[in-house]
Amino acid sequence: MALDQFGRRIHYLRISLTDHCNLRCIYCMPDDMSFRPGAELLQDDEILRLVRIFTQVGFDKFRLTGGEPTVRAHIVDLVRDIAHTPGVRTLTMTSNGTLFRRLAQPLADAGLQRVNFSLDTLNPEKFRRLTRRGSLEEVWAGIQAAEAAGLTPIKVNAVVVRNDNEEDVIDLARLTLTHPWQVRFIEMMPFAGITQFQQDNNVQEIAMRDLIQAALGPLEELNGGELDGEARLYRLKNAPGTLGFISTISRPFCASCSRARLTADGWLRMCLLRELEVDLLTPMRAGVTDAELREMIVNAVWLKPWGHRLDEDAVPLNRLMSEIGG
Ligand code: SAM
Ligand code: SF4
């Protein structure tokens, strides 16, 4: 079991499979984004080796993210190999959904259990503007395919941007009246690259809840206000689905954090919003043993920072969100 210096049990690894993406969401990366060459990224055998070692130190929950994980070559084979690694109890993915129409069933057959889809608006033109190139129709078909393939319960993530898709929280929340989905609203966080935009256009949970309640009626708080992962859950009256708020800025959940992140280029990052990282790829390519890798991981876990320091204006500027894996 991997414990940090504050007694938190760290057992959930989010792996950024690639920094590449087929969209350019305005809150995530600049339009003229350039990506790393493939050789600088973790290769399949390196990922599998690390997954095996992480399970040996007590990690049992894995999420594949990016960039866009589904643009990685041989993604179905990689998912199958990770799913069959002893000690992997939960295997999920975060995706923009653009390729799921074709990939949902093969990924489910390979052992993927659930998916969180990013969807920030139900308006096709606005969707194209927010993603700078995406098709809402394609993503919607991808979500339907995932549901049909049993990758359930479906979760939908929306990052809320002031003066852009703020009002869209109402349409998105309305989805829970007709679908047994969890629709989660994310407070935009600042990283490198487009930091000023992210800081200037953040919308807080309370404002989102006010908009939803004014349009759709009262929200019932679930779980007695306890967190479900990183989200606080609510339900609209008689809704089969639920609403979640991931409020990193206004209501941080660092005390219950159980996560670590593996960046696409093989660095272990113990807090999404802190710059501290440990390079695992260079030592691996230099021939380090499994025992030495285990020790590096256990030490990094121990030193996991307590939490972010955004309230002190300490913004992590060494990476974009897409490199770390959200
Ligand atoms: N491409 C996949 C997707 O969009 O779902 C996975 C990677 S994406 C970086 C992971 C999550 O991070 C998505 O839900 C996305 O909306 C969210 N995200 C991206 N930039 C963000 C930001 N600045 N603040 C908060 N969430 C962000
Ligand atoms: Fe790509 Fe996901 Fe970032 Fe959008 S949020 S640009 S889909 S990595």
Side-chain angles (χ1 to χ4, degrees), residues 20-25 27-29 66-68 96 118 131 322:
H20 295 226
C21 190
N22 51 358
L23 302 182
R24 301 283 185 282
C25 301
Y27 49 77
C28 181
M29 56 173 80
E68 174 48 39
N96 63 30
S118 294
T131 59
S322 53

Side-chain angles (χ1 to χ4, degrees), residues 27-28 65-68 94-96 118 157 159 188-189 198 321:
Y27 49 77
C28 181
T65 176
E68 174 48 39
T94 301
S95 170
N96 63 30
S118 294
N157 288 341
V159 175
M188 183 164 50
M189 295 173 274
Q198 291 162 329
M321 174 67 139

Side-chain angles (χ1 to χ4, degrees), residues 20-168:
H20 295 226
C21 190
N22 51 358
L23 302 182
R24 301 283 185 282
C25 301
I26 59 165
Y27 49 77
C28 181
M29 56 173 80
D31 198 10
D32 60 351
M33 182 70 190
S34 53
F35 299 111
R36 287 176 192 277
E40 287 182 18
L41 304 182
L42 285 166
Q43 306 300 299
D44 288 1
D45 58 333
E46 291 165 336
I47 293 175
L48 290 170
R49 181 178 178 201
L50 284 172
V51 167
R52 188 166 46 76
I53 291 172
F54 273 95
T55 62
Q56 290 166 2
V57 300
F59 283 68
D60 56 2
K61 189 172 170 185
F62 294 81
R63 172 172 296 279
L64 307 178
T65 176
E68 174 48 39
T70 57
V71 304
R72 188 176 170 113
H74 315 300
I75 180 67
V76 175
D77 294 333
L78 184 59
V79 163
R80 185 179 303 106
D81 288 343
I82 296 175
H84 287 98
T85 303
V88 174
R89 194 174 49 84
T90 308
L91 182 61
T92 59
M93 184 180 278
T94 301
S95 170
N96 63 30
T98 48
L99 302 178
F100 258 78
R101 194 200 300 247
R102 176 172 62 79
L103 282 176
Q105 193 63 55
L107 286 172
D109 293 343
L112 189 71
Q113 292 165 353
R114 282 186 302 282
V115 189
N116 290 2
F117 289 103
S118 294
L119 179 60
D120 309 308
T121 176
L122 297 180
N123 174 323
E125 286 86 53
K126 200 183 278 193
F127 183 83
R128 181 164 286 277
R129 185 157 50 75
L130 279 165
T131 59
R132 296 200 185 97
R133 59 200 65 193
S135 150
L136 177 61
E137 192 191 344
E138 196 173 47
V139 171
W140 191 258
I143 298 176
Q144 302 291 325
E147 196 165 34
L151 293 166
T152 53
I154 296 288
K155 292 186 184 175
V156 169
N157 288 341
V159 175
V160 183
V161 184
R162 183 173 306 289
N163 298 328
D164 230 311
N165 66 336
E166 216 173 334
E167 301 281 334
D168 298 58

Side-chain angles (χ1 to χ4, degrees), residues 176-194:
T176 65
L177 294 171
T178 47
H179 298 77
W181 298 352
Q182 189 178 113
V183 176
R184 297 137 41 109
F185 300 103
I186 303 178
E187 291 182 348
M188 183 164 50
M189 295 173 274
F191 297 93
I194 46 172

